[in-house]
Amino acid sequence: MPWFKYSVRAILALLALLIVIVAYFAYSYQQQLMMLLNVSIGIGVDTPSEQKLKQAISTSPGFGVSIYAGNIEGARMLQFTEAGHLLVSRPHQGEVILLEHDNDGDGAPDGQRVVIGGLKKPHGIAIYDGWLYIGEVNQIGRVRIKEPDFTTYGAYEVVIGDLTGDGNHPYKNIIFGEDDRLYLAQGSTCNVCLEDDKRRATIMSFDPDGRREKMFARGLRNSVGMAWSSRDGELYATDNGRDLLGDNFPPCELNKIVEGGFYGWPYVNGFGEQDPDYGRGSDDEAIDPEFGFAAHNAPLGITFVDQDGWPAVFQHAALVALHGSWNRSVPDGYRVVSLHWNGDEIEQRDFLSGFESGGSITGRPVDIAIGPDGAAYVSDDYAGAIYRVAPGMSKSLAVDIEQIEVTEGRVYEPEKQAELFVQGETIFNTFACASCHMPGVDSSSRMS
């Protein structure tokens, strides 16, 4: 029947058109899709080779970058132990692993093992008074530890239970304060909404055993990173701004967290801008951010620098990992930045960049921790890597000794002296000269 023949052709033509449309959008938005899959189910890319890393990645002047550990799929939050081992949480693998301290000085961990597994999306980790604390999506647990080898013993016990782990931002992030209290940040269940669970989108505090619960700060959409400042002793937290208001609004935030503070979400965005959906729904006055990151840059981990051997400009600066956008027409973020205080002004500078180029994304920084060797260690859950960024090294970490002029008895001008000093320091650090020339000093703690 002719009409049937035409109907089949129309259906096939429509299906072909749909395939073309789907293929077009899949191609155009493949990076956004990959970013969503990265967050939701942990999909990523292979760890780059050392050569590719050094070709693509730029560091702040005076620093060098290397791959400390690779093929660690879903690497998220970091915590150094007393003996210098590095703990890494892996939510999608349900475990916390340990990278053994680099005692032999080859630039890589001496071993790797699972500290504890079988957990429900563990994220935040903290060490306090002989316990390893772990933030699962539905509870905060702890287990006894033995230093220096960092083995666990005894039963894993829940100190804070009955937490909700649903919605967009289920991860739990934890830190201890000098007041011996445990601080817990919980993200919102949604992009923008009124929460049924009033503990979501907040920071709370508890005694180490989970008792004496206190609401500390509210209106924080998704504060993943928390750190105590070496500059003023205050608690700072990153916060991810809401979506679906365009490429450039609202800003993501750095907030100084004060007890009882309200930080706006879902009623206020950024620096006092009323939300188009929920604006004027609250009588509470929102505290402005200390600093605004570009919209959708997704600031996560934060740490403050209080370290000898770093350039003076970094003293009390903050390092922040920008995980990068998933919902922006032009990708942005995908780097580690440093924040420098000049009175009330804060300046942002690139510290580790190059993970995004021309829309192609090769890495997504998550967290930063300063190691006992003075280097900054950066996790990347997209490339499954831990990077080591150390001062006093050239970008390539390599020095061709045959190219360095050695002339006895010559007195150089101050500028030349400074240049030769940098060359000498680089050689000293790269080849672990401290092991022979500084008796009693562990070569792993060399000036790098």
Side-chain angles (χ1 to χ4, degrees):
M1 297 173 18
W3 65 267
F4 179 76
K5 184 189 301 184
Y6 293 133
S7 296
V8 170
R9 290 177 179 175
I11 291 171
L12 290 176
L14 180 60
L15 286 175
L17 179 61
L18 287 174
I19 290 171
V20 170
I21 292 172
V22 169
Y24 170 78
F25 279 98
Y27 177 79
S28 300
Y29 297 98
Q30 60 181 328
Q31 288 294 352
Q32 289 92 325
L33 178 61
M34 283 294 291
M35 299 306 100
L36 281 173
L37 292 174
N38 172 234
V39 172
S40 59
I41 59 177
I43 284 180
V45 296
D46 292 337
T47 302
S49 67
E50 193 83 20
Q51 180 181 7
K52 287 184 178 179
L53 179 79
K54 296 183 189 308
Q55 289 174 345
I57 302 304
S58 299
T59 63
S60 182
F63 290 81
V65 61
S66 62
I67 297 174
Y68 182 65
N71 301 313
I72 305 178
E73 184 181 350
R76 291 285 290 188
M77 306 307 282
L78 304 176
Q79 174 69 56
F80 274 99
T81 75
E82 183 180 294
H85 307 306
L86 181 57
L87 297 172
V88 185
S89 68
R90 303 177 71 201
H92 293 288
Q93 289 70 31
E95 64 187 22
V96 175
I97 66 170
L98 179 141
L99 305 179
E100 295 179 1
H101 183 242
D102 176 22
N103 287 314
D104 58 14
D106 66 349
D110 286 356
Q112 176 181 321
R113 57 185 167 85
V114 176
V115 173
I116 186 168
L119 303 174
K120 191 169 183 179
K121 292 189 177 179
H123 196 251
I125 45 180
I127 298 171
Y128 176 80
D129 195 28
W131 294 90
L132 170 62
Y133 285 76
I134 302 171
E136 301 180 73
V137 291
N138 62 328
Q139 62 189 18
I140 309 300
R142 67 180 182 179
V143 64
R144 283 285 188 186
I145 55 174
K146 290 181 180 179
E147 294 276 13
D149 55 346
F150 209 85
T151 55
T152 64
Y153 68 97
Y156 180 77
E157 63 180 61
V158 176
V159 292
I160 305 170
D162 192 31
L163 299 176
T164 53
D166 58 330
N168 293 2
H169 311 116
Y171 290 155
K172 305 299 184 279
N173 308 294
I174 56 176
I175 190 173
F176 274 90
E178 291 187 358
D179 57 358
D180 298 318
R181 298 273 288 173
L182 172 65
Y183 291 79
L184 164 64
Q186 303 185 70
S188 65
T189 62
C190 57
N191 175 36
V192 57
C193 66
L194 299 177
E195 296 284 3
D196 293 328
D197 182 352
K198 300 305 179 184
R199 300 171 298 177
R200 299 296 290 265
T202 71
I203 293 177
M204 304 171 68
S205 72
F206 304 80
D207 282 344
D209 60 3
R211 299 179 182 178
R212 290 205 301 152
E213 172 186 317
K214 182 187 295 185
M215 181 61 67
F216 197 76
R218 301 174 296 114
L220 296 159
R221 180 176 176 272
N222 187 29
S223 289
V224 174
M226 295 183 287
W228 297 96
S229 170
S230 59
R231 184 180 62 89
D232 59 15
E234 299 292 335
L235 179 63
Y236 286 78
T238 58
D239 196 22
N240 290 199
R242 66 160 290 184
D243 302 315
L244 306 179
L245 294 181
D247 275 0
N248 301 308
F249 186 80
C252 292
E253 301 175 3
L254 175 70
N255 291 300
K256 181 191 289 188
I257 306 300
V258 298
E259 186 170 0
F262 173 68
Y263 292 85
W265 186 88
Y267 309 107
V268 176
N269 297 301
F271 296 85
E273 295 286 340
Q274 297 291 323
D275 187 83
D277 297 317
Y278 289 91
R280 306 193 184 282
S282 173
D283 294 329
D284 294 323
E285 184 175 352
I287 299 173
D288 279 350
E290 289 288 297
F291 179 78
F293 300 96
H296 314 303
N297 273 207
L300 300 185
I302 177 174
T303 192
F304 283 86
V305 179
D306 185 15
Q307 199 70 38
D308 293 336
W310 284 54
V313 69
F314 283 93
Q315 195 67 11
H316 305 309
L319 302 179
V320 179
L322 303 182
H323 201 222
S325 58
W326 65 265
N327 58 345
R328 204 173 181 279
S329 60
V330 178
D332 196 16
Y334 313 101
R335 69 191 67 193
V336 177
V337 298
S338 57
L339 302 181
H340 304 262
W341 274 256
N342 182 15
D344 293 332
E345 299 295 322
I346 298 177
E347 178 188 359
Q348 175 180 311
R349 304 178 185 176
D350 281 352
F351 181 74
L352 186 67
S353 59
F355 296 104
E356 183 276 323
S357 178
S360 176
I361 297 159
T362 57
R364 304 190 78 188
V366 176
D367 197 20
I368 313 113
I370 306 295
D373 58 353
Y377 290 76
V378 179
S379 61
D380 180 340
D381 67 345
Y382 192 58
I386 307 295
Y387 310 109
R388 180 177 182 269
V389 188
M393 300 187 300
S394 67
K395 181 179 178 182
S396 66
L397 289 176
V399 177
D400 187 350
I401 296 178
E402 294 180 357
Q403 297 301 315
I404 296 179
E405 177 185 1
V406 179
T407 307
E408 296 182 2
R410 178 174 294 182
V411 178
Y412 292 101
E413 296 297 321
E415 292 80 5
K416 183 64 174 178
Q417 290 180 27
E419 178 185 342
L420 292 174
F421 178 83
V422 171
Q423 291 180 345
E425 184 183 35
T426 303
I427 296 172
F428 191 88
N429 292 332
T430 302
F431 296 101
C433 301
S435 61
C436 295
H437 295 280
M438 299 178 67
V441 177
D442 186 350
S443 63
S444 65
S445 64
R446 59 193 182 275
M447 298 161 50
S448 61

